[in-house]
C-alpha cells in the first residue's frame, strides 16, 4: 500500500516538475499527433498490469499518458558482456506503445541516450529505425493492439497459404497457418481443464491468433541435485492445436530458438522432439482422442 502511494506521489511531483521546468529540447517529441515534454509524460497515471504472453512471471505495466491515452511499457536490460555487467548493469532500453483509436504508435528510448525515436502506425514485423526485440510483437498481438500478419487467403476461405506468404518469414507453420511468435498460440485465455498428470493438475486452454483451441503443457528441465531443484527455471513446452478433427503438436524449449511441429498427431506417435507419455494421457482425457483399449 505504501509503495503504491509512494509511486503515485513520485509521478505527481514529476508532473509538477514537467509543467514548471523549462523543457529540454532534446527530451521533447511528438507521437500520435500530440506533443510530449519528456517520456515521463507517457506514464502520467498508473492503470493496471497485463499478464505477459511470453514470460509467465512477467507483468506488462499499463499507464495513461497526459492526453488520456493508454500506454503499454516494455523494457529490456542492456546486455551484460561479463559477470560484472550481469550483476551491476542497470540501464534499459524502453518501448512505449501508445494506443490511439485503431492505431499504435511505438516510442523508443534508451537510458543514458538523449532523445527518443517514434514509429507511427506500428504493425506486426514493421521495419523501424530503431531496434525492437521479436517478443514485443507477440505481446502487442496478445493485448489486442495489433493484428497478426494474415497468412491465408481470406477470400477463398480455405486453409492454404497465399503465394505472398513464405515459410521462412515466420517462426513456424502449423496446421496451415504461419505464426510469427509462440505468443500467437496463446492469444486469448479460455480457462483450464482438470488434468490427470497428478492430483490438482490443470491444463491451460487458449485460443490462438486464428481462433483455434489450443491446449498448453509444460515440463521443467530435469534436476540432478538440490541446487537444480531450487534454481532450475527452464521448461519444455507443448501446444496442441485443435484443427477440425486433427491435432497439431508444437514443441518449444527455453533458451532454444524456433519451434518444431508434428502435424496430424496421434497418441504414441514418434516425433522428432521430446514428447513424454503423460501428454497423450492429457489429450485423451481432454477428449481430443478416444480412450485406449486395454
Amino acid at each position: 500500500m505504501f509503495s503504491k502511494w509512494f509511486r503515485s506521489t513520485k509521478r505527481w511531483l514529476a508532473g509538477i516538475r514537467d509543467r514548471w521546468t523549462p523543457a529540454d529540447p532534446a527530451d521533447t517529441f511528438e507521437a500520435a499527433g500530440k506533443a510530449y515534454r519528456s517520456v515521463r509524460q507517457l506514464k502520467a497515471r498508473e492503470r493496471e498490469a497485463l499478464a505477459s504472453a511470453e514470460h509467465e512471471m512477467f507483468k506488462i505495466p499499463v499507464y495513461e499518458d497526459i492526453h488520456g491515452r493508454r500506454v503499454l511499457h516494455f523494457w529490456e536490460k542492456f546486455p551484460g558482456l561479463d559477470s560484472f555487467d550481469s550483476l551491476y548493469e542497470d540501464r534499459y532500453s524502453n518501448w512505449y506503445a501508445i494506443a490511439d483509436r485503431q492505431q499504435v504508435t511505438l516510442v523508443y528510448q534508451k537510458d543514458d541516450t538523449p532523445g527518443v525515436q517514434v514509429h507511427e502506425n506500428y504493425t506486426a514485423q514493421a521495419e523501424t529505425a530503431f531496434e525492437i526485440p521479436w517478443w514485443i510483437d507477440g505481446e502487442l498481438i496478445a493485448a489486442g493492439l495489433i493484428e497478426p500478419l494474415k497468412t491465408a487467403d481470406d477470400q477463398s476461405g480455405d486453409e492454404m497459404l497465399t503465394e505472398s506468404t513464405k515459410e521462412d518469414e515466420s517462426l513456424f507453420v502449423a496446421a496451415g497457418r504461419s505464426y510469427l511468435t509462440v505468443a500467437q498460440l496463446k492469444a486469448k485465455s479460455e480457462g483450464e481443464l482438470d488434468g490427470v498428470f497428478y492430483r490438482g493438475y490443470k491444463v491451460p486452454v487458449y485460443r490462438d491468433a486464428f481462433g483455434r483451441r489450443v491446449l498448453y503443457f509444460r515440463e521443467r528441465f530435469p534436476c540432478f541435485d538440490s541446487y537444480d531443484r531450487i534454481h532450475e527455471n527452464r521448461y519444455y513446452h507443448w501446444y496442441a492445436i485443435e484443427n477440425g478433427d486433427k491435432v497439431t503438436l508444437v514443441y518449444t524449449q527455453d533458451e532454444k530458438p524456433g519451434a518444431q511441429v508434428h502435424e496430424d498427431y496421434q497418441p504414441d506417435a514418434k516425433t522428432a522432439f521430446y514428447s513424454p507419455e503423460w501428454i497423450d494421457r492429457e489429450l485423451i482425457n481432454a477428449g481430443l482422442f478416444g480412450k485406449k483399449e486395454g
Side-chain angles (χ1 to χ4, degrees):
M1 184 73 180
F2 175 77
S3 62
K4 186 175 182 181
W5 173 86
F6 179 77
R7 291 196 303 270
S8 178
T9 303
K10 186 177 179 180
R11 283 193 298 274
W12 178 73
L13 291 173
I16 293 176
R17 181 179 61 185
D18 283 343
R19 289 187 181 93
W20 295 100
T21 302
D24 185 340
D27 293 335
T28 60
F29 63 96
E30 287 192 8
K34 299 290 186 178
Y36 297 85
R37 293 164 61 91
S38 74
V39 291
R40 288 191 299 273
Q41 293 188 326
L42 290 169
K43 301 193 293 182
R45 284 171 288 278
E46 188 174 358
R47 287 305 184 199
E48 57 189 298
L50 300 178
S52 168
E54 291 291 343
H55 309 283
E56 290 197 5
M57 303 302 294
F58 182 62
K59 297 291 185 181
I60 302 168
V62 181
Y63 298 91
E64 188 176 294
D65 70 6
I66 60 167
H67 306 293
R69 301 184 295 192
R70 191 165 175 249
V71 178
L72 275 63
H73 178 208
F74 310 98
W75 67 91
E76 195 170 76
K77 196 174 185 180
F78 278 29
L81 304 179
D82 52 36
S83 58
F84 182 87
D85 284 350
S86 299
L87 287 173
Y88 296 103
E89 180 60 76
D90 62 351
R91 294 171 300 169
Y92 288 82
S93 296
N94 299 278
W95 296 267
Y96 301 90
I98 305 171
D100 185 33
R101 299 182 180 88
Q102 300 299 315
Q103 295 184 347
V104 171
T105 297
L106 205 59
V107 178
Y108 172 67
Q109 179 264 335
K110 200 170 183 178
D111 288 351
D112 292 345
T113 302
V116 303
Q117 292 176 275
V118 179
H119 187 100
E120 300 283 356
N121 194 18
Y122 182 79
T123 57
Q125 279 198 322
E127 292 186 6
T128 62
F130 49 84
E131 59 182 300
I132 175 171
W134 63 268
W135 55 266
I136 286 184
D137 275 7
E139 298 291 1
L140 292 174
I141 291 169
L145 296 186
I146 64 174
E147 294 290 332
L149 291 184
K150 293 183 180 180
T151 58
D153 190 344
D154 295 329
Q155 294 181 349
S156 64
D158 58 31
E159 296 296 317
M160 298 300 292
L161 298 179
T162 62
E163 294 181 0
S164 61
T165 301
K166 300 177 182 178
E167 293 187 10
D168 60 359
E169 290 178 347
S170 59
L171 178 63
F172 61 95
V173 176
R177 296 282 190 171
S178 289
Y179 295 82
L180 300 176
T181 73
V182 174
Q184 288 183 273
L185 288 167
K186 300 193 295 182
K188 181 181 179 182
S189 175
E190 287 214 335
E192 298 174 323
L193 299 177
D194 290 329
V196 294
F197 185 30
Y198 56 81
R199 185 184 297 272
Y201 177 66
K202 298 291 184 180
V203 179
V205 181
Y206 297 90
R207 290 283 173 177
D208 70 4
F210 308 103
R212 302 184 294 193
R213 192 165 175 253
V214 179
L215 274 61
Y216 169 56
F217 312 98
R218 71 173 188 168
E219 183 178 281
R220 191 162 73 152
F221 276 35
C223 299
F224 300 103
D225 53 35
S226 57
Y227 181 88
D228 284 352
R229 282 191 287 273
I230 295 174
H231 299 284
E232 181 59 78
N233 61 0
R234 295 170 300 169
Y235 285 83
Y236 307 107
H237 308 268
W238 297 269
Y239 305 85
I241 306 170
E242 295 185 49
N243 186 31
D245 59 351
K246 294 183 178 181
V247 173
T248 296
L249 197 63
V250 179
Y251 169 76
T252 67
Q253 179 178 318
D254 287 350
E255 297 186 353
K256 185 176 181 180
Q260 291 177 272
V261 179
H262 188 102
E263 299 285 358
D264 197 10
Y265 180 80
Q266 295 290 329
D268 296 326
K270 291 184 177 180
T271 61
F273 48 82
Y274 172 54
S275 178
E277 184 271 340
W278 64 265
I279 287 183
D280 285 356
R281 300 204 308 270
E282 295 295 350
L283 293 174
I284 292 170
N285 180 67
L288 274 66
F289 301 109
K291 300 285 185 181
K292 290 185 179 179
E293 295 183 2

